[in-house]
Amino acid sequence: LLLEGNKVHGSAGCGVQVSASEANLRDNEIYGNSLAGVLLQAEAKAEVRNNSVFGGGQSGVVIESGASAILRGNVVQANGQCGIEVRDDGHADMRENVVRRNGHMGIYLYNGATGEIRGNDIRDNGMSGINVSRNAEPSITANMVHGNRQCGILLDHSGRGSISRNQVHSNGEPGLRIETQADPVVTDNTIYNGHHHGILICEGGCGTVQGNAV
């Protein structure tokens, strides 16, 4: 399936839904849909490049139920819930996207989700910039995470993964918060100019934290 150069808007459901198929989505405007802008599920495989996904009632892009996706160069903004949501054993390789001004988290991974988050600009979201939860385990590398209302990066409820070489600044709560049995490896990040702690480890959080500038 190739979906290129379209405007997909005003649906009472999702803008684009792909189940158990392969798809290539590029250069589309996907906006103003009641549910997710893009929903990938049931082991779907998709490449999502250079799309604008905005103004949806729920999350901009959702990857779930064993689906996998490559996301490159997208602008995901002003959606009612999260910008990008990866859950229930979904996998996403997210690079060079702009994820901003979404109502909840910028990027939210949970329930066994995996992936790579590299070189993205994640800013001005209504909750945390990135939230890793419930046995999700991504690699988070060389992102700009700033201006989010809550934490820059939050790991909770046994979230894991590696966090390295990110610039995390000007967030409303701690730049990095680790709690409730989360256990990441955190190295070589720069965390500054937040309104609370640089790094906060609390409520049973653990992990390895080395070589950061805070």
Side-chain angles (χ1 to χ4, degrees):
L1 169 66
L2 172 62
L3 190 68
E4 181 177 16
N6 300 282
K7 292 185 177 181
V8 182
H9 59 97
S11 169
C14 299
V16 177
Q17 180 172 335
V18 181
S19 300
S21 300
E22 296 187 5
N24 190 328
L25 283 65
R26 58 181 187 236
D27 299 312
N28 301 285
E29 291 186 14
I30 302 169
Y31 61 94
N33 299 287
S34 295
L35 302 181
V38 177
L39 173 61
L40 309 173
Q41 60 181 187
E43 300 186 358
K45 295 181 179 180
E47 186 169 325
V48 183
R49 288 184 182 265
N50 301 326
N51 300 278
S52 182
V53 185
F54 61 96
Q58 295 187 359
S59 295
V61 180
V62 177
I63 302 156
E64 66 176 16
S65 307
S68 62
I70 296 170
L71 281 73
R72 295 282 192 282
N74 303 283
V75 177
V76 185
Q77 64 182 348
N79 295 286
Q81 295 183 0
C82 303
I84 300 170
E85 187 173 345
V86 190
R87 63 194 187 201
D88 303 334
D89 300 313
H91 176 86
D93 184 345
M94 296 167 268
R95 303 189 189 213
E96 300 172 2
N97 303 284
V98 176
V99 184
R100 65 189 180 200
R101 300 200 308 271
N102 298 285
H104 293 178
M105 284 73 79
I107 298 176
Y108 185 24
L109 299 97
Y110 61 104
N111 290 352
T114 58
E116 181 158 3
I117 305 170
R118 179 183 288 268
N120 302 279
D121 184 359
I122 303 162
R123 57 187 164 97
D124 301 328
N125 294 287
M127 296 176 69
S128 295
I130 301 171
N131 187 182
V132 180
S133 187
R134 302 188 186 281
N135 299 305
E137 191 170 1
S139 172
I140 303 171
T141 307
N143 302 279
M144 293 287 294
V145 186
H146 57 111
N148 299 287
R149 184 169 296 175
Q150 296 184 357
C151 301
I153 302 173
L154 169 64
L155 291 98
D156 60 6
H157 300 291
S158 302
R160 300 186 302 276
S162 64
I163 303 170
S164 64
R165 295 186 290 110
N166 300 280
Q167 294 278 333
V168 183
H169 68 89
S170 307
N171 297 286
E173 295 185 5
L176 172 64
R177 179 171 176 143
I178 303 168
E179 64 176 54
T180 51
Q181 288 71 57
D183 189 11
V185 176
V186 182
T187 57
D188 301 318
N189 300 278
T190 302
I191 302 173
Y192 63 98
N193 200 33
H195 296 283
H196 286 268
H197 307 280
I199 298 174
L200 175 62
I201 302 172
C202 62
E203 299 177 23
C206 53
T208 300
V209 181
Q210 295 178 322
N212 302 279
V214 183

